Amino acid sequence: MRLSRYFLPLLKETPASAEIASHRFMLRAGMVKQHSAGIYSWLPLGLKVMNKIADIVREEQERAGAVEMLMPTIQPAELWRESGRYDDYGKEMLRIEDRSGRALLYGPTNEEMLTDIFRTFVRSYKDLPQLLYHIQWKFRDEVRPRFGVMRGREFLMKDSYSFDIDMDAAVISYNKMFVAYLNTFARLGLQAVPMRADTGPIGGDLSHEFLILADTGESEVFCHADLLELDAPGAVDFGADLQAIVNERTALYARTEEMHDAEIFAKDVPKDKQVSARGIEVGHIFCFGDKYSKPMGAKVMGPDGKEHFAQMGSYGIGVSRLVGGIIEASHDEAGIIWPLSVAPFGAGILNLRAGDDDTDKACEDIYAKLGAAGIDPLYDDKADRGGVKFSRMDLIGLPFQIIVGPRGLKDGIVEVKTRKTGERQNLTPSEAVNFIVQQFKGIS
Ligand code: 5CA
């Protein structure tokens, strides 16, 4: 992409309303535009990152055996009256009336709707387990929308739903999602720790929130320090028993504020291993048995010839929140530092003398080669001063910058800057291209 043709409305001033780094940088880097409290347009740069996150989430869901579908944002109120949640959900639910006076709502989550789909089509244990997901906008009329996309009112969520014949099988589905989440967040460059969590309006007893530690996080969390050192499981056989992996993560103390027990924490965790910190909730998984299947009559015939209510779980990832969460975990004073896996463009090319034939030609050549290698470069072909280009590129946080000017070109070199480390190397243009291509090897 040529910057001269892109839509990248950068802000010079930091908006006063933005309290945390990710919100400031998302506004300054032209990623989002706010229209109302917690309601945003996703501008091209922001959308590109969010789509990359969604792609990784999707790949890891598929690997775990989940099957994608799409449910609507608008739901009939009757479904929620059946489950009993229409009144329970309170003011967070946006209630709508259509022209014939029928009660609708903008979905804050989809347990009822998927339970309805399940009861329509699935009759026998032979068709279980089922694990379905979609990536869809949600609306929650939050009391305090804040921190930009981190706590929005309209936000993008990946939500999966599992249906099993009994609780043992339901826990197997739960474990699959647990492990898929560890891999998903690792690919996003995040150390997300699963913690015992309260279930709120979703329900059930078995539940974990996945949190990344950050001073600006909204939740207070307590955990054993060793949990912050564990690697993601990586390639695992999702057909096998994953309990060992889950046990490794759940044996040590890790709880959100609501579930925290100071006495147990002091007894179970050595003093030098006690971590009390703030966290950003990027995912939340629930196993709630027949909470929805029972009132809604979602039954299947079991191998015993009797009808059983499906045992269910649901599993959410805050896809739009993650855009902010990744920035909270990875930035400096100058701007964002994207992990390679979600960077909106793989590298930036800075033309320091746009209009100069040799410089233009060298830039065009690098641009073509990076593009052909699948790096998706952003070419700053604008006529601005070098200083403007440097700070703009640092702000939007592409992993690599190739700085091309007439002085270096005289000696046959360009400068490559690695955004994360600040390291600079003088390389020939083809070495520069090769270096960047190498960095992306193995990152999908
Ligand atoms: N039905 C369940 C699981 S599918 C559910 O709705 N869970 S949840 O309420 O915990 O939401 C799932 C994830 O969505 C959260 O972990 C969080 O990452 C994200 N999320 C929740 N509320 C917001 C919000 N207001 N803004 C942005 N992301 C949010």
PDB file of all heavy atoms in Angstrom, residues 89 108-111 140 142 149-153 155-161 202 281-284 286 314-321, ligand 1:
ATOM      1  N   TYR A  89     -31.025  -9.803  32.757  1.00  0.00           N
ATOM      2  CA  TYR A  89     -29.881  -9.123  32.139  1.00  0.00           C
ATOM      3  C   TYR A  89     -29.880  -7.620  32.403  1.00  0.00           C
ATOM      4  O   TYR A  89     -28.857  -6.964  32.306  1.00  0.00           O
ATOM      5  CB  TYR A  89     -29.811  -9.423  30.634  1.00  0.00           C
ATOM      6  CG  TYR A  89     -28.390  -9.670  30.181  1.00  0.00           C
ATOM      7  CD1 TYR A  89     -27.881 -10.953  30.114  1.00  0.00           C
ATOM      8  CD2 TYR A  89     -27.547  -8.606  29.860  1.00  0.00           C
ATOM      9  CE1 TYR A  89     -26.568 -11.187  29.731  1.00  0.00           C
ATOM     10  CE2 TYR A  89     -26.231  -8.837  29.472  1.00  0.00           C
ATOM     11  CZ  TYR A  89     -25.756 -10.123  29.422  1.00  0.00           C
ATOM     12  OH  TYR A  89     -24.458 -10.348  29.033  1.00  0.00           O
ATOM     13  N   PRO A 108     -26.176  -9.410  23.493  1.00  0.00           N
ATOM     14  CA  PRO A 108     -24.958  -9.239  24.282  1.00  0.00           C
ATOM     15  C   PRO A 108     -24.143 -10.531  24.306  1.00  0.00           C
ATOM     16  O   PRO A 108     -22.993 -10.536  24.715  1.00  0.00           O
ATOM     17  CB  PRO A 108     -25.482  -8.901  25.678  1.00  0.00           C
ATOM     18  CG  PRO A 108     -26.851  -9.508  25.747  1.00  0.00           C
ATOM     19  CD  PRO A 108     -27.366  -9.652  24.343  1.00  0.00           C
ATOM     20  N   THR A 109     -24.733 -11.644  23.872  1.00  0.00           N
ATOM     21  CA  THR A 109     -24.141 -12.976  23.859  1.00  0.00           C
ATOM     22  C   THR A 109     -25.183 -13.905  23.216  1.00  0.00           C
ATOM     23  O   THR A 109     -26.292 -13.456  22.931  1.00  0.00           O
ATOM     24  CB  THR A 109     -23.746 -13.430  25.305  1.00  0.00           C
ATOM     25  OG1 THR A 109     -23.305 -14.785  25.280  1.00  0.00           O
ATOM     26  CG2 THR A 109     -24.923 -13.317  26.277  1.00  0.00           C
ATOM     27  N   ASN A 110     -24.841 -15.164  22.916  1.00  0.00           N
ATOM     28  CA  ASN A 110     -25.750 -15.971  22.090  1.00  0.00           C
ATOM     29  C   ASN A 110     -26.146 -17.345  22.645  1.00  0.00           C
ATOM     30  O   ASN A 110     -26.514 -18.223  21.861  1.00  0.00           O
ATOM     31  CB  ASN A 110     -25.142 -16.172  20.695  1.00  0.00           C
ATOM     32  CG  ASN A 110     -25.176 -14.909  19.870  1.00  0.00           C
ATOM     33  OD1 ASN A 110     -24.464 -13.954  20.169  1.00  0.00           O
ATOM     34  ND2 ASN A 110     -26.009 -14.860  18.846  1.00  0.00           N
ATOM     35  N   GLU A 111     -26.061 -17.554  23.954  1.00  0.00           N
ATOM     36  CA  GLU A 111     -26.399 -18.883  24.497  1.00  0.00           C
ATOM     37  C   GLU A 111     -27.801 -19.326  24.081  1.00  0.00           C
ATOM     38  O   GLU A 111     -28.008 -20.464  23.644  1.00  0.00           O
ATOM     39  CB  GLU A 111     -26.310 -18.886  26.036  1.00  0.00           C
ATOM     40  CG  GLU A 111     -24.892 -19.041  26.590  1.00  0.00           C
ATOM     41  CD  GLU A 111     -24.123 -17.744  26.594  1.00  0.00           C
ATOM     42  OE1 GLU A 111     -24.710 -16.687  26.271  1.00  0.00           O
ATOM     43  OE2 GLU A 111     -22.917 -17.774  26.904  1.00  0.00           O
ATOM     44  N   ARG A 140     -23.452  -4.260  24.599  1.00  0.00           N
ATOM     45  CA  ARG A 140     -23.759  -4.240  26.030  1.00  0.00           C
ATOM     46  C   ARG A 140     -23.736  -2.786  26.454  1.00  0.00           C
ATOM     47  O   ARG A 140     -22.720  -2.098  26.271  1.00  0.00           O
ATOM     48  CB  ARG A 140     -22.719  -5.044  26.832  1.00  0.00           C
ATOM     49  CG  ARG A 140     -22.784  -6.524  26.523  1.00  0.00           C
ATOM     50  CD  ARG A 140     -21.820  -7.361  27.351  1.00  0.00           C
ATOM     51  NE  ARG A 140     -21.876  -8.753  26.899  1.00  0.00           N
ATOM     52  CZ  ARG A 140     -21.069  -9.713  27.321  1.00  0.00           C
ATOM     53  NH1 ARG A 140     -20.126  -9.451  28.226  1.00  0.00           N
ATOM     54  NH2 ARG A 140     -21.187 -10.936  26.858  1.00  0.00           N
ATOM     55  N   GLU A 142     -22.870  -0.852  28.689  1.00  0.00           N
ATOM     56  CA  GLU A 142     -22.014  -0.815  29.873  1.00  0.00           C
ATOM     57  C   GLU A 142     -22.257   0.465  30.666  1.00  0.00           C
ATOM     58  O   GLU A 142     -22.455   1.529  30.082  1.00  0.00           O
ATOM     59  CB  GLU A 142     -20.539  -0.844  29.443  1.00  0.00           C
ATOM     60  CG  GLU A 142     -20.120  -2.079  28.654  1.00  0.00           C
ATOM     61  CD  GLU A 142     -19.718  -3.235  29.553  1.00  0.00           C
ATOM     62  OE1 GLU A 142     -19.696  -3.050  30.788  1.00  0.00           O
ATOM     63  OE2 GLU A 142     -19.456  -4.321  29.016  1.00  0.00           O
ATOM     64  N   VAL A 149     -11.568   0.900  22.887  1.00  0.00           N
ATOM     65  CA  VAL A 149     -12.204  -0.359  22.496  1.00  0.00           C
ATOM     66  C   VAL A 149     -12.100  -1.433  23.581  1.00  0.00           C
ATOM     67  O   VAL A 149     -12.664  -2.520  23.440  1.00  0.00           O
ATOM     68  CB  VAL A 149     -11.600  -0.909  21.185  1.00  0.00           C
ATOM     69  CG1 VAL A 149     -11.778   0.113  20.074  1.00  0.00           C
ATOM     70  CG2 VAL A 149     -10.123  -1.272  21.357  1.00  0.00           C
ATOM     71  N   MET A 150     -11.389  -1.115  24.665  1.00  0.00           N
ATOM     72  CA  MET A 150     -11.219  -2.126  25.715  1.00  0.00           C
ATOM     73  C   MET A 150     -12.539  -2.414  26.417  1.00  0.00           C
ATOM     74  O   MET A 150     -12.839  -3.560  26.740  1.00  0.00           O
ATOM     75  CB  MET A 150     -10.216  -1.630  26.747  1.00  0.00           C
ATOM     76  CG  MET A 150      -8.867  -1.449  26.146  1.00  0.00           C
ATOM     77  SD  MET A 150      -7.985  -2.961  26.234  1.00  0.00           S
ATOM     78  CE  MET A 150      -6.809  -2.455  27.425  1.00  0.00           C
ATOM     79  N   ARG A 151     -13.282  -1.372  26.731  1.00  0.00           N
ATOM     80  CA  ARG A 151     -14.628  -1.582  27.257  1.00  0.00           C
ATOM     81  C   ARG A 151     -15.577  -0.766  26.403  1.00  0.00           C
ATOM     82  O   ARG A 151     -15.881   0.385  26.696  1.00  0.00           O
ATOM     83  CB  ARG A 151     -14.734  -1.208  28.748  1.00  0.00           C
ATOM     84  CG  ARG A 151     -16.139  -1.433  29.322  1.00  0.00           C
ATOM     85  CD  ARG A 151     -16.164  -1.466  30.823  1.00  0.00           C
ATOM     86  NE  ARG A 151     -15.390  -2.575  31.347  1.00  0.00           N
ATOM     87  CZ  ARG A 151     -15.795  -3.841  31.418  1.00  0.00           C
ATOM     88  NH1 ARG A 151     -16.989  -4.178  30.997  1.00  0.00           N
ATOM     89  NH2 ARG A 151     -15.003  -4.774  31.909  1.00  0.00           N
ATOM     90  N   GLY A 152     -15.956  -1.362  25.283  1.00  0.00           N
ATOM     91  CA  GLY A 152     -16.858  -0.680  24.377  1.00  0.00           C
ATOM     92  C   GLY A 152     -18.294  -1.025  24.721  1.00  0.00           C
ATOM     93  O   GLY A 152     -18.563  -1.813  25.634  1.00  0.00           O
ATOM     94  N   ARG A 153     -19.222  -0.436  24.007  1.00  0.00           N
ATOM     95  CA  ARG A 153     -20.609  -0.889  24.120  1.00  0.00           C
ATOM     96  C   ARG A 153     -20.888  -1.838  22.946  1.00  0.00           C
ATOM     97  O   ARG A 153     -21.397  -2.917  23.124  1.00  0.00           O
ATOM     98  CB  ARG A 153     -21.567   0.307  24.122  1.00  0.00           C
ATOM     99  CG  ARG A 153     -21.432   1.090  25.436  1.00  0.00           C
ATOM    100  CD  ARG A 153     -22.620   1.965  25.692  1.00  0.00           C
ATOM    101  NE  ARG A 153     -22.698   3.037  24.716  1.00  0.00           N
ATOM    102  CZ  ARG A 153     -23.764   3.813  24.557  1.00  0.00           C
ATOM    103  NH1 ARG A 153     -24.849   3.599  25.289  1.00  0.00           N
ATOM    104  NH2 ARG A 153     -23.755   4.790  23.679  1.00  0.00           N
ATOM    105  N   PHE A 155     -18.953  -4.233  20.481  1.00  0.00           N
ATOM    106  CA  PHE A 155     -17.615  -4.821  20.397  1.00  0.00           C
ATOM    107  C   PHE A 155     -17.676  -6.170  19.698  1.00  0.00           C
ATOM    108  O   PHE A 155     -18.725  -6.807  19.643  1.00  0.00           O
ATOM    109  CB  PHE A 155     -16.979  -4.961  21.795  1.00  0.00           C
ATOM    110  CG  PHE A 155     -17.763  -5.824  22.749  1.00  0.00           C
ATOM    111  CD1 PHE A 155     -17.439  -7.165  22.919  1.00  0.00           C
ATOM    112  CD2 PHE A 155     -18.827  -5.309  23.466  1.00  0.00           C
ATOM    113  CE1 PHE A 155     -18.162  -7.975  23.791  1.00  0.00           C
ATOM    114  CE2 PHE A 155     -19.563  -6.105  24.341  1.00  0.00           C
ATOM    115  CZ  PHE A 155     -19.225  -7.438  24.507  1.00  0.00           C
ATOM    116  N   LEU A 156     -16.527  -6.575  19.157  1.00  0.00           N
ATOM    117  CA  LEU A 156     -16.486  -7.832  18.396  1.00  0.00           C
ATOM    118  C   LEU A 156     -16.025  -8.968  19.308  1.00  0.00           C
ATOM    119  O   LEU A 156     -14.985  -8.846  19.966  1.00  0.00           O
ATOM    120  CB  LEU A 156     -15.546  -7.703  17.195  1.00  0.00           C
ATOM    121  CG  LEU A 156     -15.591  -8.851  16.173  1.00  0.00           C
ATOM    122  CD1 LEU A 156     -16.971  -8.968  15.527  1.00  0.00           C
ATOM    123  CD2 LEU A 156     -14.527  -8.654  15.090  1.00  0.00           C
ATOM    124  N   MET A 157     -16.810 -10.026  19.318  1.00  0.00           N
ATOM    125  CA  MET A 157     -16.468 -11.174  20.169  1.00  0.00           C
ATOM    126  C   MET A 157     -16.435 -12.443  19.328  1.00  0.00           C
ATOM    127  O   MET A 157     -17.206 -12.598  18.389  1.00  0.00           O
ATOM    128  CB  MET A 157     -17.535 -11.351  21.261  1.00  0.00           C
ATOM    129  CG  MET A 157     -17.137 -12.330  22.364  1.00  0.00           C
ATOM    130  SD  MET A 157     -18.558 -12.934  23.321  1.00  0.00           S
ATOM    131  CE  MET A 157     -18.981 -11.523  24.286  1.00  0.00           C
ATOM    132  N   LYS A 158     -15.528 -13.330  19.692  1.00  0.00           N
ATOM    133  CA  LYS A 158     -15.602 -14.703  19.181  1.00  0.00           C
ATOM    134  C   LYS A 158     -16.282 -15.471  20.289  1.00  0.00           C
ATOM    135  O   LYS A 158     -15.808 -15.461  21.430  1.00  0.00           O
ATOM    136  CB  LYS A 158     -14.188 -15.251  18.931  1.00  0.00           C
ATOM    137  CG  LYS A 158     -14.132 -16.639  18.319  1.00  0.00           C
ATOM    138  CD  LYS A 158     -14.500 -17.794  19.240  1.00  0.00           C
ATOM    139  CE  LYS A 158     -13.600 -17.952  20.457  1.00  0.00           C
ATOM    140  NZ  LYS A 158     -14.061 -19.032  21.381  1.00  0.00           N
ATOM    141  N   ASP A 159     -17.408 -16.086  19.999  1.00  0.00           N
ATOM    142  CA  ASP A 159     -18.055 -16.903  21.024  1.00  0.00           C
ATOM    143  C   ASP A 159     -18.373 -18.291  20.482  1.00  0.00           C
ATOM    144  O   ASP A 159     -18.916 -18.445  19.397  1.00  0.00           O
ATOM    145  CB  ASP A 159     -19.296 -16.242  21.641  1.00  0.00           C
ATOM    146  CG  ASP A 159     -20.148 -15.444  20.658  1.00  0.00           C
ATOM    147  OD1 ASP A 159     -19.598 -14.861  19.711  1.00  0.00           O
ATOM    148  OD2 ASP A 159     -21.384 -15.408  20.851  1.00  0.00           O
ATOM    149  N   SER A 160     -17.933 -19.276  21.252  1.00  0.00           N
ATOM    150  CA  SER A 160     -18.130 -20.680  20.896  1.00  0.00           C
ATOM    151  C   SER A 160     -19.096 -21.307  21.906  1.00  0.00           C
ATOM    152  O   SER A 160     -19.172 -20.852  23.054  1.00  0.00           O
ATOM    153  CB  SER A 160     -16.826 -21.467  20.981  1.00  0.00           C
ATOM    154  OG  SER A 160     -15.773 -20.784  20.398  1.00  0.00           O
ATOM    155  N   TYR A 161     -19.754 -22.361  21.469  1.00  0.00           N
ATOM    156  CA  TYR A 161     -20.743 -23.027  22.317  1.00  0.00           C
ATOM    157  C   TYR A 161     -20.589 -24.533  22.148  1.00  0.00           C
ATOM    158  O   TYR A 161     -20.518 -25.024  21.024  1.00  0.00           O
ATOM    159  CB  TYR A 161     -22.152 -22.581  21.908  1.00  0.00           C
ATOM    160  CG  TYR A 161     -22.299 -21.077  22.047  1.00  0.00           C
ATOM    161  CD1 TYR A 161     -21.907 -20.222  21.010  1.00  0.00           C
ATOM    162  CD2 TYR A 161     -22.747 -20.510  23.236  1.00  0.00           C
ATOM    163  CE1 TYR A 161     -21.984 -18.841  21.152  1.00  0.00           C
ATOM    164  CE2 TYR A 161     -22.830 -19.124  23.389  1.00  0.00           C
ATOM    165  CZ  TYR A 161     -22.450 -18.300  22.338  1.00  0.00           C
ATOM    166  OH  TYR A 161     -22.512 -16.935  22.491  1.00  0.00           O
ATOM    167  N   ILE A 202     -23.656 -15.248  32.914  1.00  0.00           N
ATOM    168  CA  ILE A 202     -23.614 -16.412  32.022  1.00  0.00           C
ATOM    169  C   ILE A 202     -23.942 -17.687  32.803  1.00  0.00           C
ATOM    170  O   ILE A 202     -24.636 -18.569  32.316  1.00  0.00           O
ATOM    171  CB  ILE A 202     -22.235 -16.544  31.324  1.00  0.00           C
ATOM    172  CG1 ILE A 202     -21.805 -15.223  30.669  1.00  0.00           C
ATOM    173  CG2 ILE A 202     -22.223 -17.707  30.322  1.00  0.00           C
ATOM    174  CD1 ILE A 202     -22.594 -14.785  29.466  1.00  0.00           C
ATOM    175  N   GLU A 281      -8.942  -8.715  30.887  1.00  0.00           N
ATOM    176  CA  GLU A 281      -9.605  -9.983  30.550  1.00  0.00           C
ATOM    177  C   GLU A 281      -9.774 -10.066  29.036  1.00  0.00           C
ATOM    178  O   GLU A 281     -10.549  -9.330  28.451  1.00  0.00           O
ATOM    179  CB  GLU A 281     -10.978 -10.022  31.240  1.00  0.00           C
ATOM    180  CG  GLU A 281     -11.750 -11.281  30.944  1.00  0.00           C
ATOM    181  CD  GLU A 281     -13.251 -11.113  31.192  1.00  0.00           C
ATOM    182  OE1 GLU A 281     -13.654 -10.295  32.041  1.00  0.00           O
ATOM    183  OE2 GLU A 281     -14.010 -11.801  30.498  1.00  0.00           O
ATOM    184  N   VAL A 282      -9.040 -10.996  28.425  1.00  0.00           N
ATOM    185  CA  VAL A 282      -9.133 -11.136  26.962  1.00  0.00           C
ATOM    186  C   VAL A 282      -9.984 -12.333  26.545  1.00  0.00           C
ATOM    187  O   VAL A 282     -10.395 -12.447  25.395  1.00  0.00           O
ATOM    188  CB  VAL A 282      -7.736 -11.201  26.302  1.00  0.00           C
ATOM    189  CG1 VAL A 282      -7.080  -9.824  26.334  1.00  0.00           C
ATOM    190  CG2 VAL A 282      -6.837 -12.240  26.966  1.00  0.00           C
ATOM    191  N   GLY A 283     -10.230 -13.237  27.486  1.00  0.00           N
ATOM    192  CA  GLY A 283     -11.075 -14.378  27.181  1.00  0.00           C
ATOM    193  C   GLY A 283     -11.750 -14.880  28.440  1.00  0.00           C
ATOM    194  O   GLY A 283     -11.280 -14.614  29.564  1.00  0.00           O
ATOM    195  N   HIS A 284     -12.860 -15.583  28.247  1.00  0.00           N
ATOM    196  CA  HIS A 284     -13.587 -16.107  29.411  1.00  0.00           C
ATOM    197  C   HIS A 284     -14.318 -17.367  28.968  1.00  0.00           C
ATOM    198  O   HIS A 284     -15.049 -17.341  27.980  1.00  0.00           O
ATOM    199  CB  HIS A 284     -14.582 -15.049  29.913  1.00  0.00           C
ATOM    200  CG  HIS A 284     -15.065 -15.288  31.308  1.00  0.00           C
ATOM    201  ND1 HIS A 284     -15.673 -14.312  32.064  1.00  0.00           N
ATOM    202  CD2 HIS A 284     -15.027 -16.390  32.089  1.00  0.00           C
ATOM    203  CE1 HIS A 284     -16.001 -14.817  33.253  1.00  0.00           C
ATOM    204  NE2 HIS A 284     -15.616 -16.061  33.281  1.00  0.00           N
ATOM    205  N   PHE A 286     -16.728 -20.843  30.096  1.00  0.00           N
ATOM    206  CA  PHE A 286     -17.736 -21.250  31.075  1.00  0.00           C
ATOM    207  C   PHE A 286     -18.209 -22.665  30.774  1.00  0.00           C
ATOM    208  O   PHE A 286     -18.356 -23.041  29.614  1.00  0.00           O
ATOM    209  CB  PHE A 286     -18.991 -20.379  30.955  1.00  0.00           C
ATOM    210  CG  PHE A 286     -18.771 -18.910  31.079  1.00  0.00           C
ATOM    211  CD1 PHE A 286     -18.324 -18.165  29.980  1.00  0.00           C
ATOM    212  CD2 PHE A 286     -19.046 -18.238  32.266  1.00  0.00           C
ATOM    213  CE1 PHE A 286     -18.152 -16.790  30.078  1.00  0.00           C
ATOM    214  CE2 PHE A 286     -18.889 -16.861  32.364  1.00  0.00           C
ATOM    215  CZ  PHE A 286     -18.442 -16.133  31.270  1.00  0.00           C
ATOM    216  N   SER A 314     -19.810 -22.241  27.170  1.00  0.00           N
ATOM    217  CA  SER A 314     -19.609 -21.180  26.178  1.00  0.00           C
ATOM    218  C   SER A 314     -18.268 -20.515  26.440  1.00  0.00           C
ATOM    219  O   SER A 314     -17.757 -20.525  27.569  1.00  0.00           O
ATOM    220  CB  SER A 314     -20.770 -20.182  26.155  1.00  0.00           C
ATOM    221  OG  SER A 314     -20.752 -19.363  27.284  1.00  0.00           O
ATOM    222  N   TYR A 315     -17.711 -19.963  25.379  1.00  0.00           N
ATOM    223  CA  TYR A 315     -16.290 -19.611  25.399  1.00  0.00           C
ATOM    224  C   TYR A 315     -16.089 -18.324  24.596  1.00  0.00           C
ATOM    225  O   TYR A 315     -16.300 -18.323  23.375  1.00  0.00           O
ATOM    226  CB  TYR A 315     -15.475 -20.740  24.763  1.00  0.00           C
ATOM    227  CG  TYR A 315     -15.903 -22.124  25.252  1.00  0.00           C
ATOM    228  CD1 TYR A 315     -16.910 -22.838  24.594  1.00  0.00           C
ATOM    229  CD2 TYR A 315     -15.331 -22.682  26.390  1.00  0.00           C
ATOM    230  CE1 TYR A 315     -17.320 -24.086  25.044  1.00  0.00           C
ATOM    231  CE2 TYR A 315     -15.740 -23.937  26.850  1.00  0.00           C
ATOM    232  CZ  TYR A 315     -16.740 -24.633  26.171  1.00  0.00           C
ATOM    233  OH  TYR A 315     -17.152 -25.862  26.630  1.00  0.00           O
ATOM    234  N   GLY A 316     -15.709 -17.256  25.269  1.00  0.00           N
ATOM    235  CA  GLY A 316     -15.612 -15.969  24.576  1.00  0.00           C
ATOM    236  C   GLY A 316     -14.196 -15.442  24.484  1.00  0.00           C
ATOM    237  O   GLY A 316     -13.365 -15.659  25.379  1.00  0.00           O
ATOM    238  N   ILE A 317     -13.920 -14.751  23.379  1.00  0.00           N
ATOM    239  CA  ILE A 317     -12.673 -13.990  23.249  1.00  0.00           C
ATOM    240  C   ILE A 317     -13.053 -12.588  22.791  1.00  0.00           C
ATOM    241  O   ILE A 317     -13.857 -12.429  21.864  1.00  0.00           O
ATOM    242  CB  ILE A 317     -11.705 -14.627  22.225  1.00  0.00           C
ATOM    243  CG1 ILE A 317     -11.106 -15.933  22.780  1.00  0.00           C
ATOM    244  CG2 ILE A 317     -10.557 -13.652  21.883  1.00  0.00           C
ATOM    245  CD1 ILE A 317     -10.094 -16.605  21.862  1.00  0.00           C
ATOM    246  N   GLY A 318     -12.491 -11.590  23.439  1.00  0.00           N
ATOM    247  CA  GLY A 318     -12.767 -10.201  23.072  1.00  0.00           C
ATOM    248  C   GLY A 318     -11.871  -9.776  21.914  1.00  0.00           C
ATOM    249  O   GLY A 318     -10.772  -9.276  22.120  1.00  0.00           O
ATOM    250  N   VAL A 319     -12.359  -9.986  20.694  1.00  0.00           N
ATOM    251  CA  VAL A 319     -11.513  -9.744  19.511  1.00  0.00           C
ATOM    252  C   VAL A 319     -11.162  -8.248  19.390  1.00  0.00           C
ATOM    253  O   VAL A 319      -9.996  -7.889  19.233  1.00  0.00           O
ATOM    254  CB  VAL A 319     -12.209 -10.258  18.226  1.00  0.00           C
ATOM    255  CG1 VAL A 319     -11.400  -9.905  16.980  1.00  0.00           C
ATOM    256  CG2 VAL A 319     -12.392 -11.771  18.305  1.00  0.00           C
ATOM    257  N   SER A 320     -12.168  -7.372  19.503  1.00  0.00           N
ATOM    258  CA  SER A 320     -11.854  -5.935  19.390  1.00  0.00           C
ATOM    259  C   SER A 320     -11.065  -5.462  20.610  1.00  0.00           C
ATOM    260  O   SER A 320     -10.145  -4.649  20.497  1.00  0.00           O
ATOM    261  CB  SER A 320     -13.124  -5.104  19.189  1.00  0.00           C
ATOM    262  OG  SER A 320     -14.110  -5.433  20.139  1.00  0.00           O
ATOM    263  N   ARG A 321     -11.391  -5.994  21.789  1.00  0.00           N
ATOM    264  CA  ARG A 321     -10.624  -5.622  22.986  1.00  0.00           C
ATOM    265  C   ARG A 321      -9.152  -5.979  22.823  1.00  0.00           C
ATOM    266  O   ARG A 321      -8.270  -5.271  23.308  1.00  0.00           O
ATOM    267  CB  ARG A 321     -11.199  -6.330  24.212  1.00  0.00           C
ATOM    268  CG  ARG A 321     -10.353  -6.134  25.458  1.00  0.00           C
ATOM    269  CD  ARG A 321     -10.936  -6.787  26.685  1.00  0.00           C
ATOM    270  NE  ARG A 321     -12.117  -6.082  27.157  1.00  0.00           N
ATOM    271  CZ  ARG A 321     -12.795  -6.391  28.259  1.00  0.00           C
ATOM    272  NH1 ARG A 321     -12.401  -7.401  29.007  1.00  0.00           N
ATOM    273  NH2 ARG A 321     -13.859  -5.716  28.613  1.00  0.00           N
TER     274      ARG A 321
HETATM  275  N1  5CA B   1     -21.165 -15.946  26.414  1.00  0.00           N
HETATM  276  C1  5CA B   1     -19.947 -15.839  27.170  1.00  0.00           C
HETATM  277  C2  5CA B   1     -18.841 -16.586  26.527  1.00  0.00           C
HETATM  278  S1  5CA B   1     -19.034 -16.724  24.820  1.00  0.00           S
HETATM  279  C3  5CA B   1     -19.592 -14.379  27.337  1.00  0.00           C
HETATM  280  O1  5CA B   1     -20.286 -13.515  26.853  1.00  0.00           O
HETATM  281  N2  5CA B   1     -18.525 -14.130  28.058  1.00  0.00           N
HETATM  282  S2  5CA B   1     -17.994 -12.716  28.509  1.00  0.00           S
HETATM  283  O2  5CA B   1     -19.046 -11.898  28.976  1.00  0.00           O
HETATM  284  O3  5CA B   1     -16.944 -12.936  29.432  1.00  0.00           O
HETATM  285  O4  5CA B   1     -17.390 -12.023  27.235  1.00  0.00           O
HETATM  286  C4  5CA B   1     -16.366 -12.660  26.510  1.00  0.00           C
HETATM  287  C5  5CA B   1     -15.216 -11.705  26.244  1.00  0.00           C
HETATM  288  O5  5CA B   1     -15.676 -10.569  25.542  1.00  0.00           O
HETATM  289  C6  5CA B   1     -14.574 -11.146  27.499  1.00  0.00           C
HETATM  290  O6  5CA B   1     -13.616 -12.021  28.019  1.00  0.00           O
HETATM  291  C7  5CA B   1     -13.937  -9.862  26.976  1.00  0.00           C
HETATM  292  O7  5CA B   1     -12.668 -10.143  26.426  1.00  0.00           O
HETATM  293  C8  5CA B   1     -14.887  -9.453  25.883  1.00  0.00           C
HETATM  294  N3  5CA B   1     -15.758  -8.345  26.331  1.00  0.00           N
HETATM  295  C9  5CA B   1     -16.758  -8.419  27.224  1.00  0.00           C
HETATM  296  N4  5CA B   1     -17.326  -7.200  27.392  1.00  0.00           N
HETATM  297  C10 5CA B   1     -16.664  -6.345  26.585  1.00  0.00           C
HETATM  298  C11 5CA B   1     -16.770  -4.953  26.295  1.00  0.00           C
HETATM  299  N5  5CA B   1     -17.701  -4.199  26.882  1.00  0.00           N
HETATM  300  N6  5CA B   1     -15.915  -4.405  25.399  1.00  0.00           N
HETATM  301  C12 5CA B   1     -14.990  -5.171  24.787  1.00  0.00           C
HETATM  302  N7  5CA B   1     -14.840  -6.488  25.008  1.00  0.00           N
HETATM  303  C13 5CA B   1     -15.662  -7.068  25.900  1.00  0.00           C
END
